[in-house]
Amino acid sequence: MKNCKLASLHGDDHKRTVVAVGNVKIGEDLVVIAGPCGVESEEQTIKTARKVKEAGAHMLRGGAFKPRTSPYDFQGLGLKGLKILERAKRETGLPVVTEVIDPRDVSWVCEYADVLQIGTRNMQNFCLLKEVGRVGKPVLLKRGMYSTLREWLNCAEYILAEGNPHVILCERGIRTFETYTRNTLDLSMVPSVREVSHLPLIVDPSHGTGKASLIEPMSLAAIAAGADGIMIEVHHNPREALSDKDQALSPVVFAGLMRKLQLLRSHMNEIHCEREHTPQEMAL
């Protein structure tokens, strides 16, 4: 990763970036970002936000702008959606993560969002990367569906080079020959990123699998692999979702997953403490 002057570790394993979003520290704590794929209405968004907050989520996700494969699919509510997210934040206290898709929109989307998401289709939209690099807001950079680790980190470099150090990487699956899942969730990227970069990394098992039944095991696997957090799509009534209904969890299922994640995290902390204090390692 010679060209990644700012994103690489350069042999310094203690140089780990922590991105603070309010009281949430990504790269230090286990962070769960949850919410609907798209903001459809005020009732849907606020009801879902309340549920994920009750379950223990730390941040709220929701798309006001939805770049879709078909031009006839639901494209989001735009400014109206951003205002709904702002109301959900006021009601729950959850910081908002939302996607920005056009460099011209960055400045005013910053008025509503706490974290700017760059989606997989825009990972190599270099004009957009430079623009979010200039504003200083935390940026969640999703891996492109056909992108290598080197290409991904070079896109992070564009943001960092503009002076914005608050970059969070997001593994969301890549396109392979497999058709059973929506994408192939590449969890090998979790330890791989940690080997070469200081940037925090979260995993999106919703887009990574496209199947609600697979989200729980892949979420647990992501945390076990060392991810700093996960991002999950939750809808108060998944059957009514206007986008990605097959991968949306109900609030009840999400609450059950949160309990398992917290239990797994506590066990991992215990194992880590035991490793640090074994006589064999202390003698080395």
Side-chain angles (χ1 to χ4, degrees):
M1 303 298 170
K2 295 180 181 178
N3 293 332
C4 296
K5 300 176 182 179
L6 301 174
S8 294
L9 271 174
H10 298 298
D12 184 3
D13 196 46
H14 298 289
K15 179 191 170 186
R16 294 287 175 188
T17 292
V18 175
V19 177
V21 184
N23 294 324
V24 180
K25 295 182 178 180
I26 304 168
E28 183 174 295
D29 306 321
L30 170 60
V31 174
V32 178
I33 305 169
C37 173
V39 176
E40 301 166 2
S41 68
E42 182 171 344
E43 179 186 9
Q44 166 252 6
T45 303
I46 292 180
K47 187 177 290 187
T48 303
R50 288 172 181 160
K51 291 295 184 180
V52 299
K53 169 76 171 182
E54 289 171 8
H58 307 95
M59 302 176 71
L60 174 67
R61 61 146 294 147
F65 300 93
K66 297 300 300 175
R68 307 295 299 280
T69 302
S70 169
Y72 307 112
D73 289 338
F74 176 64
Q75 302 286 316
L77 300 179
L79 178 58
K80 180 180 178 181
L82 291 173
K83 291 180 177 180
I84 291 172
L85 286 169
E86 184 180 46
R87 287 193 283 273
K89 176 183 175 179
R90 286 201 304 266
E91 178 141 346
T92 63
L94 294 174
V96 167
V97 181
T98 196
E99 185 170 357
V100 60
I101 62 176
D102 191 316
R104 296 169 296 182
D105 296 337
V106 170
S107 60
W108 63 270
V109 173
C110 284
E111 298 177 17
Y112 300 92
D114 297 286
V115 178
L116 301 173
Q117 177 182 308
I118 304 297
T120 185
R121 293 173 178 84
N122 273 312
M123 189 201 79
Q124 290 184 310
N125 183 338
F126 301 118
C127 291
L128 181 58
L129 296 178
K130 288 180 180 180
E131 193 63 32
V132 298
R134 296 183 186 116
V135 295
K137 281 268 186 181
V139 177
L140 180 70
L141 178 64
K142 286 198 166 188
R143 182 185 180 189
M145 64 182 74
Y146 298 107
S147 300
T148 65
L149 174 56
R150 182 183 297 275
E151 290 166 341
W152 190 14
L153 289 181
N154 269 297
C155 290
E157 195 80 10
Y158 268 89
I159 302 170
L160 296 168
E162 292 296 329
N164 186 348
H166 311 298
V167 177
I168 308 150
L169 300 174
C170 180
E171 164 59 41
R172 49 78 68 199
I174 54 175
R175 187 70 59 83
T176 70
F177 55 80
E178 181 56 68
T179 57
Y180 182 72
T181 53
R182 177 176 180 176
N183 293 290
T184 297
L185 187 59
D186 185 7
L187 291 185
S188 71
M189 275 299 104
V190 178
S192 296
V193 166
R194 293 186 66 84
E195 281 188 351
V196 299
S197 177
H198 56 87
L199 298 174
L201 170 68
I202 68 169
V203 172
D204 177 355
S206 298
H207 286 88
T209 66
K211 297 174 72 71
S213 62
L214 300 180
I215 291 173
E216 180 178 298
M218 297 311 290
S219 296
L220 296 172
I223 299 305
D228 296 300
I230 55 174
M231 183 159 68
I232 298 176
E233 291 187 0
V234 181
H235 194 287
H236 74 94
N237 187 350
R239 288 177 296 181
E240 295 181 354
L242 296 181
S243 58
D244 292 350
K245 64 176 64 178
D246 292 336
Q247 65 193 44
L249 297 186
S250 69
V252 172
V253 173
F254 175 70
L257 171 57
M258 285 297 296
R259 290 191 291 270
K260 292 180 182 179
L261 286 170
Q262 291 159 3
L263 186 60
L264 173 61
R265 185 63 175 219
S266 65
H267 284 320
M268 290 179 64
N269 289 338
E270 290 174 7
I271 292 170
H272 182 69
C273 290
E274 288 176 4
R275 283 178 57 91
E276 286 185 338
H277 295 92
T278 56
Q280 293 89 342
E281 290 190 17
M282 290 177 67
L284 292 176

